[in-house]
Coordinates of all heavy atoms in Angstrom, one line a residue:
M1 N 69.1 -45.7 -13.2 CA 67.8 -46.1 -12.8 C 66.9 -44.9 -12.6 O 65.7 -45.0 -13.0 CB 68.0 -47.0 -11.5 CG 66.7 -47.7 -11.1 SD 66.4 -49.0 -12.3 CE 65.0 -49.7 -11.5
K2 N 67.3 -43.9 -11.9 CA 66.5 -42.7 -11.7 C 66.1 -42.1 -13.0 O 64.9 -41.7 -13.2 CB 67.2 -41.7 -10.8 CG 67.1 -41.9 -9.3 CD 67.7 -40.8 -8.6 CE 67.4 -40.9 -7.1 NZ 67.9 -39.7 -6.4
K3 N 67.0 -41.9 -13.9 CA 66.7 -41.3 -15.2 C 65.7 -42.1 -16.0 O 64.8 -41.6 -16.6 CB 68.0 -41.1 -16.0 CG 68.8 -40.0 -15.5 CD 70.0 -39.7 -16.4 CE 70.9 -38.6 -15.9 NZ 72.0 -38.3 -16.8
T4 N 65.8 -43.4 -15.9 CA 64.9 -44.3 -16.6 C 63.5 -44.1 -16.0 O 62.5 -44.1 -16.8 CB 65.3 -45.8 -16.5 OG1 66.7 -45.9 -16.9 CG2 64.4 -46.7 -17.3
K5 N 63.3 -44.1 -14.7 CA 62.0 -43.9 -14.1 C 61.4 -42.5 -14.4 O 60.2 -42.4 -14.7 CB 62.1 -44.0 -12.6 CG 62.3 -45.5 -12.1 CD 62.2 -45.6 -10.6 CE 62.4 -47.0 -10.1 NZ 62.3 -47.1 -8.7
K6 N 62.3 -41.5 -14.4 CA 61.8 -40.2 -14.8 C 61.3 -40.1 -16.2 O 60.3 -39.5 -16.6 CB 62.9 -39.1 -14.6 CG 63.1 -38.8 -13.1 CD 64.1 -37.7 -13.0 CE 64.3 -37.3 -11.5 NZ 65.3 -36.2 -11.3
L7 N 62.1 -40.7 -17.1 CA 61.7 -40.8 -18.5 C 60.4 -41.6 -18.7 O 59.6 -41.2 -19.5 CB 62.9 -41.4 -19.4 CG 62.7 -41.4 -20.9 CD1 62.5 -40.0 -21.4 CD2 63.8 -42.1 -21.6
A8 N 60.3 -42.7 -18.1 CA 59.1 -43.5 -18.2 C 57.9 -42.7 -17.6 O 56.8 -42.7 -18.2 CB 59.2 -44.8 -17.4
A9 N 58.0 -42.0 -16.5 CA 57.0 -41.1 -16.0 C 56.6 -40.0 -17.0 O 55.4 -39.7 -17.2 CB 57.4 -40.6 -14.7
L10 N 57.6 -39.4 -17.6 CA 57.3 -38.4 -18.6 C 56.5 -38.9 -19.8 O 55.5 -38.4 -20.3 CB 58.6 -37.7 -19.0 CG 58.5 -36.7 -20.1 CD1 57.7 -35.5 -19.6 CD2 59.8 -36.3 -20.6
V11 N 57.0 -40.1 -20.3 CA 56.3 -40.7 -21.4 C 54.9 -41.1 -21.1 O 53.9 -40.8 -21.8 CB 57.1 -41.9 -21.9 CG1 56.3 -42.7 -22.9 CG2 58.4 -41.5 -22.5
L12 N 54.7 -41.7 -19.9 CA 53.3 -42.0 -19.5 C 52.4 -40.8 -19.3 O 51.2 -40.8 -19.7 CB 53.4 -42.8 -18.2 CG 53.9 -44.3 -18.4 CD1 54.0 -44.9 -17.0 CD2 53.0 -45.1 -19.3
A13 N 53.0 -39.7 -18.8 CA 52.2 -38.5 -18.6 C 51.8 -37.9 -20.0 O 50.6 -37.5 -20.2 CB 53.0 -37.5 -17.8
M14 N 52.7 -38.0 -21.0 CA 52.4 -37.5 -22.3 C 51.3 -38.4 -23.0 O 50.4 -37.9 -23.6 CB 53.7 -37.4 -23.1 CG 54.6 -36.3 -22.7 SD 56.2 -36.3 -23.6 CE 55.7 -36.1 -25.2
V15 N 51.4 -39.7 -22.8 CA 50.4 -40.6 -23.4 C 49.1 -40.4 -22.8 O 48.1 -40.3 -23.5 CB 50.9 -42.1 -23.2 CG1 49.8 -43.0 -23.5 CG2 52.1 -42.4 -24.1
M16 N 49.0 -40.2 -21.5 CA 47.8 -39.9 -20.8 C 47.1 -38.6 -21.3 O 45.9 -38.5 -21.5 CB 47.9 -39.9 -19.3 CG 46.6 -39.9 -18.5 SD 46.7 -40.1 -16.8 CE 47.6 -38.7 -16.2
A17 N 47.9 -37.5 -21.4 CA 47.4 -36.3 -21.9 C 46.9 -36.4 -23.3 O 45.8 -35.9 -23.6 CB 48.5 -35.2 -21.8
F18 N 47.6 -37.1 -24.1 CA 47.1 -37.3 -25.5 C 45.9 -38.1 -25.5 O 44.9 -37.8 -26.3 CB 48.2 -38.0 -26.4 CG 47.8 -38.2 -27.8 CD1 47.6 -37.2 -28.7 CD2 47.4 -39.5 -28.2 CE1 47.2 -37.4 -29.9 CE2 47.0 -39.8 -29.4 CZ 46.9 -38.7 -30.3
S19 N 45.8 -39.1 -24.7 CA 44.5 -40.0 -24.7 C 43.3 -39.2 -24.2 O 42.2 -39.4 -24.7 CB 44.7 -41.2 -23.8 OG 44.9 -40.8 -22.5
L20 N 43.5 -38.3 -23.2 CA 42.4 -37.4 -22.8 C 41.9 -36.5 -23.9 O 40.7 -36.3 -24.1 CB 42.9 -36.6 -21.6 CG 43.1 -37.4 -20.3 CD1 43.6 -36.4 -19.2 CD2 41.8 -38.0 -19.9
M21 N 42.9 -36.0 -24.7 CA 42.5 -35.1 -25.8 C 41.8 -36.0 -26.9 O 40.8 -35.5 -27.5 CB 43.7 -34.4 -26.4 CG 44.2 -33.3 -25.5 SD 45.5 -32.4 -26.3 CE 46.9 -33.6 -26.4
A22 N 42.3 -37.2 -27.2 CA 41.7 -38.0 -28.2 C 40.3 -38.5 -27.8 O 39.4 -38.5 -28.6 CB 42.6 -39.2 -28.4
V23 N 40.1 -38.8 -26.5 CA 38.8 -39.3 -26.1 C 37.8 -38.2 -26.1 O 36.6 -38.4 -26.5 CB 38.9 -39.9 -24.6 CG1 37.6 -40.1 -24.0 CG2 39.7 -41.2 -24.7
T24 N 38.2 -37.0 -25.7 CA 37.3 -35.8 -25.8 C 36.9 -35.5 -27.2 O 35.7 -35.3 -27.5 CB 38.0 -34.6 -25.2 OG1 38.4 -34.9 -23.9 CG2 37.0 -33.4 -25.1
A25 N 37.8 -35.6 -28.1 CA 37.5 -35.3 -29.5 C 36.6 -36.4 -30.1 O 35.7 -36.1 -30.9 CB 38.8 -35.2 -30.4
A26 N 36.8 -37.6 -29.7 CA 36.0 -38.7 -30.2 C 34.6 -38.7 -29.6 O 33.6 -39.0 -30.3 CB 36.7 -40.1 -29.9
A27 N 34.5 -38.3 -28.4 CA 33.2 -38.1 -27.8 C 32.3 -37.0 -28.4 O 31.1 -37.2 -28.6 CB 33.3 -37.9 -26.3
Y28 N 33.0 -36.0 -28.9 CA 32.3 -34.9 -29.5 C 31.9 -35.3 -30.9 O 30.8 -34.9 -31.4 CB 33.2 -33.7 -29.7 CG 32.6 -32.5 -30.4 CD1 31.5 -31.8 -29.8 CD2 33.0 -32.1 -31.6 CE1 30.9 -30.8 -30.5 CE2 32.5 -31.1 -32.3 CZ 31.4 -30.4 -31.7 OH 30.8 -29.4 -32.4
G29 N 32.6 -36.2 -31.6 CA 32.2 -36.7 -32.9 C 32.3 -35.6 -33.9 O 31.3 -35.3 -34.6
A30 N 33.3 -34.9 -34.0 CA 33.4 -33.7 -34.9 C 33.2 -34.1 -36.4 O 32.7 -33.3 -37.1 CB 34.8 -33.0 -34.7
D31 N 33.6 -35.3 -36.8 CA 33.5 -35.7 -38.2 C 32.0 -36.0 -38.6 O 31.6 -35.6 -39.6 CB 34.4 -36.9 -38.5 CG 35.8 -36.6 -38.3 OD1 36.2 -35.4 -38.4 OD2 36.6 -37.5 -38.0
E32 N 31.3 -36.7 -37.7 CA 30.0 -37.1 -38.1 C 28.9 -36.3 -37.4 O 27.7 -36.7 -37.3 CB 29.8 -38.6 -38.0 CG 29.9 -39.1 -36.6 CD 31.2 -39.7 -36.2 OE1 32.1 -39.9 -37.0 OE2 31.3 -40.1 -35.1
H33 N 29.2 -35.1 -36.8 CA 28.2 -34.3 -36.1 C 27.3 -33.6 -37.1 O 27.8 -32.8 -38.0 CB 28.9 -33.3 -35.2 CG 28.0 -32.6 -34.3 ND1 27.4 -33.1 -33.2 CD2 27.5 -31.3 -34.3 CE1 26.6 -32.3 -32.6 NE2 26.7 -31.1 -33.3
V34 N 26.0 -33.8 -37.0 CA 25.0 -33.1 -37.9 C 24.1 -32.3 -37.0 O 23.6 -32.7 -36.0 CB 24.2 -34.2 -38.6 CG1 23.2 -33.5 -39.5 CG2 25.1 -35.1 -39.4
H35 N 23.9 -31.0 -37.4 CA 23.1 -30.1 -36.7 C 21.6 -30.3 -37.2 O 21.2 -29.8 -38.2 CB 23.5 -28.7 -36.9 CG 24.8 -28.4 -36.2 ND1 24.9 -28.1 -34.9 CD2 26.1 -28.3 -36.7 CE1 26.2 -27.9 -34.6 NE2 26.9 -28.0 -35.6
D36 N 20.9 -31.1 -36.5 CA 19.5 -31.4 -36.9 C 18.4 -30.8 -35.9 O 17.3 -31.1 -36.0 CB 19.3 -32.9 -37.0 CG 19.6 -33.6 -35.7 OD1 20.0 -33.0 -34.8 OD2 19.4 -34.8 -35.7
G37 N 18.8 -29.9 -35.0 CA 17.9 -29.3 -34.1 C 17.9 -30.0 -32.7 O 17.3 -29.4 -31.8
T38 N 18.5 -31.1 -32.6 CA 18.5 -31.8 -31.3 C 19.6 -31.3 -30.4 O 19.6 -31.6 -29.2 CB 18.6 -33.3 -31.4 OG1 19.8 -33.6 -32.1 CG2 17.4 -33.9 -32.2
C39 N 20.6 -30.6 -30.9 CA 21.7 -30.1 -30.2 C 21.8 -28.6 -30.1 O 22.8 -28.1 -29.6 CB 23.0 -30.7 -30.7 SG 23.4 -30.1 -32.4
C40 N 20.8 -27.9 -30.6 CA 20.9 -26.5 -30.6 C 20.8 -25.9 -29.2 O 20.2 -26.5 -28.3 CB 19.8 -25.9 -31.5 SG 19.9 -26.4 -33.2
E41 N 21.3 -24.7 -29.0 CA 21.2 -24.1 -27.7 C 19.8 -23.8 -27.3 O 19.5 -23.7 -26.1 CB 22.1 -22.8 -27.7 CG 23.5 -23.0 -27.8 CD 24.1 -23.3 -29.1 OE1 23.3 -23.1 -30.1 OE2 25.2 -23.7 -29.2
E42 N 18.9 -23.6 -28.2 CA 17.5 -23.3 -27.8 C 16.8 -24.5 -27.1 O 15.9 -24.4 -26.4 CB 16.7 -22.9 -29.0 CG 17.1 -21.6 -29.6 CD 18.3 -21.7 -30.6 OE1 18.5 -22.9 -31.2 OE2 18.9 -20.7 -30.9
T43 N 17.3 -25.7 -27.5 CA 16.6 -26.9 -26.9 C 17.3 -27.4 -25.6 O 16.7 -28.2 -24.9 CB 16.7 -28.1 -27.9 OG1 18.0 -28.4 -28.2 CG2 15.9 -27.7 -29.2
I44 N 18.5 -26.9 -25.3 CA 19.2 -27.3 -24.1 C 18.6 -26.5 -22.9 O 18.7 -25.3 -22.9 CB 20.7 -27.2 -24.2 CG1 21.2 -28.1 -25.3 CG2 21.4 -27.5 -22.9 CD1 22.6 -27.8 -25.7
Q45 N 18.2 -27.1 -21.9 CA 17.6 -26.5 -20.7 C 18.7 -26.3 -19.6 O 19.5 -27.3 -19.4 CB 16.4 -27.2 -20.1 CG 15.3 -27.3 -21.1 CD 14.7 -25.9 -21.3 OE1 14.5 -25.1 -20.4 NE2 14.3 -25.7 -22.6
P46 N 18.8 -25.2 -18.9 CA 19.8 -25.0 -17.9 C 19.4 -25.9 -16.7 O 18.3 -26.2 -16.4 CB 19.7 -23.6 -17.6 CG 18.4 -23.1 -18.0 CD 18.0 -24.0 -19.1
R47 N 20.5 -26.3 -15.9 CA 20.2 -27.0 -14.7 C 19.7 -26.1 -13.6 O 20.1 -25.0 -13.6 CB 21.5 -27.7 -14.2 CG 21.9 -28.9 -14.9 CD 23.1 -29.5 -14.4 NE 23.4 -29.2 -13.0 CZ 24.5 -29.5 -12.3 NH1 25.4 -30.1 -12.9 NH2 24.6 -29.1 -11.1
K48 N 18.9 -26.6 -12.8 CA 18.5 -25.9 -11.6 C 19.6 -25.9 -10.6 O 20.2 -26.9 -10.3 CB 17.2 -26.5 -11.0 CG 16.0 -26.2 -11.7 CD 14.8 -26.8 -10.9 CE 13.5 -26.5 -11.6 NZ 12.4 -27.0 -10.9
P49 N 19.9 -24.7 -10.0 CA 21.0 -24.8 -9.0 C 20.5 -25.5 -7.8 O 19.4 -25.3 -7.4 CB 21.2 -23.3 -8.7 CG 20.1 -22.6 -9.2 CD 19.4 -23.4 -10.3
G50 N 21.3 -26.3 -7.2 CA 20.9 -27.1 -6.0 C 21.5 -26.5 -4.8 O 22.5 -25.7 -4.8
G51 N 21.0 -26.9 -3.7 CA 21.5 -26.4 -2.4 C 20.8 -27.1 -1.3 O 20.2 -28.1 -1.5
W52 N 21.0 -26.6 -0.1 CA 20.3 -27.2 1.1 C 19.2 -26.3 1.5 O 19.4 -25.0 1.6 CB 21.4 -27.3 2.2 CG 22.5 -28.2 1.8 CD1 23.8 -27.8 1.5 CD2 22.5 -29.6 1.6 NE1 24.5 -28.8 1.1 CE2 23.8 -30.0 1.2 CE3 21.5 -30.6 1.7 CZ2 24.1 -31.3 0.9 CZ3 21.9 -31.9 1.4 CH2 23.1 -32.2 1.0
C53 N 18.1 -26.9 1.9 CA 16.9 -26.1 2.3 C 17.2 -25.3 3.5 O 17.8 -25.9 4.5 CB 15.8 -27.1 2.5 SG 14.3 -26.3 3.2
P54 N 17.0 -24.0 3.6 CA 17.3 -23.2 4.8 C 16.4 -23.6 6.0 O 16.7 -23.2 7.1 CB 17.1 -21.8 4.3 CG 16.2 -21.8 3.1 CD 16.4 -23.2 2.5
R55 N 15.2 -24.2 5.7 CA 14.3 -24.6 6.8 C 14.7 -25.9 7.5 O 14.8 -26.0 8.7 CB 12.9 -24.7 6.3 CG 12.3 -23.3 6.0 CD 10.9 -23.4 5.6 NE 10.3 -22.1 5.3 CZ 9.1 -22.0 4.8 NH1 8.4 -23.0 4.5 NH2 8.7 -20.8 4.5
C56 N 14.8 -27.0 6.6 CA 15.0 -28.3 7.2 C 16.4 -28.9 6.9 O 16.8 -29.9 7.6 CB 14.0 -29.3 6.6 SG 14.1 -29.6 4.9
G57 N 17.2 -28.3 6.0 CA 18.5 -28.8 5.7 C 18.6 -29.9 4.7 O 19.7 -30.5 4.5
E58 N 17.5 -30.3 4.1 CA 17.6 -31.4 3.1 C 18.0 -30.8 1.7 O 18.0 -29.5 1.6 CB 16.2 -32.1 2.9 CG 15.9 -33.0 4.1 CD 14.6 -33.8 3.8 OE1 14.4 -34.1 2.6 OE2 13.9 -34.1 4.7
G59 N 18.3 -31.6 0.8 CA 18.6 -31.1 -0.6 C 17.4 -30.5 -1.2 O 16.3 -31.0 -1.2
A60 N 17.6 -29.3 -1.8 CA 16.5 -28.6 -2.5 C 17.1 -27.8 -3.7 O 18.3 -27.6 -3.8 CB 15.9 -27.7 -1.5
S61 N 16.2 -27.4 -4.6 CA 16.6 -26.6 -5.7 C 16.1 -25.2 -5.5 O 15.0 -25.0 -4.9 CB 16.2 -27.2 -7.0 OG 14.8 -27.2 -7.1
C62 N 16.8 -24.2 -6.0 CA 16.4 -22.8 -5.8 C 16.7 -22.0 -7.1 O 17.6 -22.4 -7.8 CB 17.0 -22.1 -4.6 SG 18.8 -21.8 -4.8
Y63 N 15.9 -20.9 -7.3 CA 16.2 -20.0 -8.4 C 15.7 -18.7 -8.0 O 14.7 -18.5 -7.2 CB 15.6 -20.6 -9.7 CG 14.1 -20.9 -9.5 CD1 13.1 -20.0 -9.8 CD2 13.7 -22.2 -9.2 CE1 11.8 -20.4 -9.7 CE2 12.4 -22.6 -9.0 CZ 11.4 -21.6 -9.3 OH 10.1 -22.0 -9.2
P64 N 16.3 -17.6 -8.5 CA 15.8 -16.3 -8.2 C 14.4 -16.0 -8.8 O 14.2 -16.4 -10.0 CB 16.9 -15.3 -8.8 CG 17.6 -16.2 -9.8 CD 17.4 -17.6 -9.4
C65 N 13.5 -15.4 -8.0 CA 12.2 -15.2 -8.6 C 11.8 -13.7 -8.5 O 10.7 -13.3 -8.9 CB 11.2 -16.0 -7.8 SG 10.9 -15.6 -6.1
G66 N 12.6 -12.8 -7.9 CA 12.3 -11.4 -7.8 C 13.2 -10.7 -6.9 O 14.3 -11.2 -6.5
E67 N 12.9 -9.4 -6.6 CA 13.7 -8.6 -5.8 C 12.8 -7.7 -4.9 O 11.8 -7.3 -5.3 CB 14.6 -7.7 -6.7 CG 15.7 -6.9 -6.0 CD 16.6 -6.2 -7.0 OE1 16.8 -6.7 -8.0 OE2 17.0 -5.1 -6.6
K68 N 13.3 -7.6 -3.6 CA 12.5 -6.8 -2.7 C 13.5 -6.0 -1.8 O 14.4 -6.6 -1.2 CB 11.7 -7.7 -1.8 CG 10.8 -7.0 -0.8 CD 9.9 -7.9 -0.1 CE 9.0 -7.2 0.9 NZ 8.2 -8.1 1.7
D69 N 13.4 -4.7 -1.8 CA 14.3 -3.8 -1.0 C 15.7 -4.0 -1.3 O 16.6 -4.0 -0.5 CB 14.1 -4.1 0.5 CG 12.7 -3.8 1.0 OD1 12.0 -2.9 0.4 OD2 12.2 -4.4 2.0
G70 N 16.0 -4.2 -2.6 CA 17.4 -4.4 -3.1 C 18.0 -5.7 -2.8 O 19.1 -6.0 -3.1
R71 N 17.2 -6.7 -2.3 CA 17.7 -8.0 -2.1 C 17.0 -9.0 -3.0 O 15.8 -8.9 -3.3 CB 17.4 -8.4 -0.6 CG 18.2 -7.6 0.4 CD 17.8 -7.9 1.8 NE 18.1 -9.3 2.0 CZ 17.6 -10.0 3.1 NH1 16.8 -9.3 4.0 NH2 17.8 -11.3 3.3
I72 N 17.7 -10.0 -3.5 CA 17.1 -11.0 -4.4 C 16.3 -12.0 -3.6 O 16.8 -12.5 -2.5 CB 18.2 -11.7 -5.2 CG1 19.0 -10.7 -6.0 CG2 17.7 -12.8 -6.1 CD1 20.2 -11.3 -6.7
I73 N 15.1 -12.3 -4.0 CA 14.3 -13.3 -3.4 C 14.4 -14.6 -4.2 O 14.3 -14.6 -5.4 CB 12.8 -12.9 -3.4 CG1 12.6 -11.5 -2.8 CG2 11.9 -13.9 -2.8 CD1 12.9 -11.5 -1.3
Y74 N 14.7 -15.7 -3.5 CA 14.8 -17.0 -4.1 C 13.6 -17.9 -3.8 O 13.1 -17.9 -2.7 CB 16.1 -17.7 -3.6 CG 17.4 -17.1 -4.1 CD1 18.0 -16.1 -3.3 CD2 17.9 -17.4 -5.3 CE1 19.2 -15.6 -3.7 CE2 19.1 -16.8 -5.7 CZ 19.7 -15.9 -4.9 OH 20.9 -15.3 -5.4
R75 N 13.2 -18.7 -4.8 CA 12.1 -19.6 -4.6 C 12.8 -21.0 -4.4 O 13.5 -21.4 -5.3 CB 11.2 -19.6 -5.8 CG 10.1 -20.7 -5.7 CD 8.9 -20.4 -6.4 NE 8.3 -19.2 -5.9 CZ 7.5 -18.3 -6.6 NH1 7.3 -18.5 -7.8 NH2 7.0 -17.2 -6.0
W76 N 12.4 -21.6 -3.3 CA 13.0 -22.9 -3.0 C 12.0 -24.0 -3.2 O 10.8 -23.8 -2.9 CB 13.4 -23.0 -1.5 CG 14.6 -22.1 -1.2 CD1 14.6 -20.8 -1.0 CD2 16.0 -22.5 -1.2 NE1 15.9 -20.3 -0.8 CE2 16.8 -21.4 -0.9 CE3 16.6 -23.8 -1.4 CZ2 18.1 -21.5 -0.8 CZ3 18.0 -23.8 -1.2 CH2 18.7 -22.7 -0.9
E77 N 12.4 -25.1 -3.8 CA 11.6 -26.3 -4.0 C 12.2 -27.5 -3.2 O 13.2 -28.1 -3.6 CB 11.5 -26.7 -5.5 CG 10.8 -25.6 -6.3 CD 10.8 -26.0 -7.8 OE1 11.2 -27.1 -8.1 OE2 10.3 -25.1 -8.5
C78 N 11.6 -27.7 -2.0 CA 12.2 -28.7 -1.1 C 11.2 -29.9 -1.1 O 10.0 -29.7 -1.1 CB 12.3 -28.1 0.3 SG 12.9 -29.3 1.5
P79 N 11.7 -31.1 -1.1 CA 10.8 -32.3 -1.1 C 9.9 -32.4 0.2 O 8.8 -32.9 0.2 CB 11.7 -33.5 -1.2 CG 13.1 -33.0 -1.3 CD 13.1 -31.5 -1.2
S80 N 10.5 -31.9 1.3 CA 9.7 -32.1 2.6 C 9.0 -30.8 3.0 O 7.9 -30.8 3.5 CB 10.6 -32.5 3.7 OG 11.6 -31.5 3.9
C81 N 9.5 -29.6 2.6 CA 8.9 -28.3 3.0 C 8.0 -27.8 1.9 O 7.1 -26.9 2.2 CB 10.0 -27.3 3.3 SG 11.0 -27.7 4.7
G82 N 8.1 -28.3 0.7 CA 7.3 -27.7 -0.4 C 8.0 -26.6 -1.1 O 9.2 -26.4 -1.0
V83 N 7.2 -25.7 -1.7 CA 7.7 -24.5 -2.4 C 7.5 -23.3 -1.6 O 6.4 -23.1 -1.1 CB 7.0 -24.4 -3.8 CG1 7.5 -23.1 -4.5 CG2 7.2 -25.6 -4.6
F84 N 8.6 -22.5 -1.3 CA 8.5 -21.3 -0.6 C 9.5 -20.3 -1.0 O 10.5 -20.6 -1.7 CB 8.6 -21.6 1.0 CG 9.9 -22.1 1.3 CD1 11.0 -21.3 1.8 CD2 10.2 -23.5 1.3 CE1 12.2 -21.8 2.1 CE2 11.4 -24.0 1.7 CZ 12.4 -23.2 2.1
D85 N 9.3 -19.0 -0.7 CA 10.2 -17.9 -1.1 C 11.0 -17.6 0.2 O 10.5 -17.6 1.3 CB 9.5 -16.7 -1.5 CG 8.7 -17.0 -2.9 OD1 9.1 -17.9 -3.6 OD2 7.8 -16.2 -3.2
W86 N 12.3 -17.3 -0.1 CA 13.2 -17.0 1.0 C 14.0 -15.8 0.7 O 14.6 -15.7 -0.3 CB 14.1 -18.2 1.3 CG 14.9 -18.0 2.5 CD1 16.2 -17.5 2.6 CD2 14.7 -18.5 3.8 NE1 16.7 -17.6 3.8 CE2 15.8 -18.2 4.6 CE3 13.6 -19.1 4.4 CZ2 15.8 -18.5 6.0 CZ3 13.7 -19.4 5.7 CH2 14.8 -19.1 6.5

């Protein structure tokens, strides 16, 4: 009984691993993928890094905007505090 359960668990794990690989390959669509300019790296915009506003603690986005005295200055965009440098 123990060997049967172990074998069944092994087979199920192998099937799941294979299905994950198959789903990923199918989602990519390697066979019918056409480079027409909509998927190029030049058109993909990076995500803004998110974080918590240092003033009010709400969700905000930030990005580096400069350097002062060897420290990086970040520009924060908070819905309640507005835009400010920190």
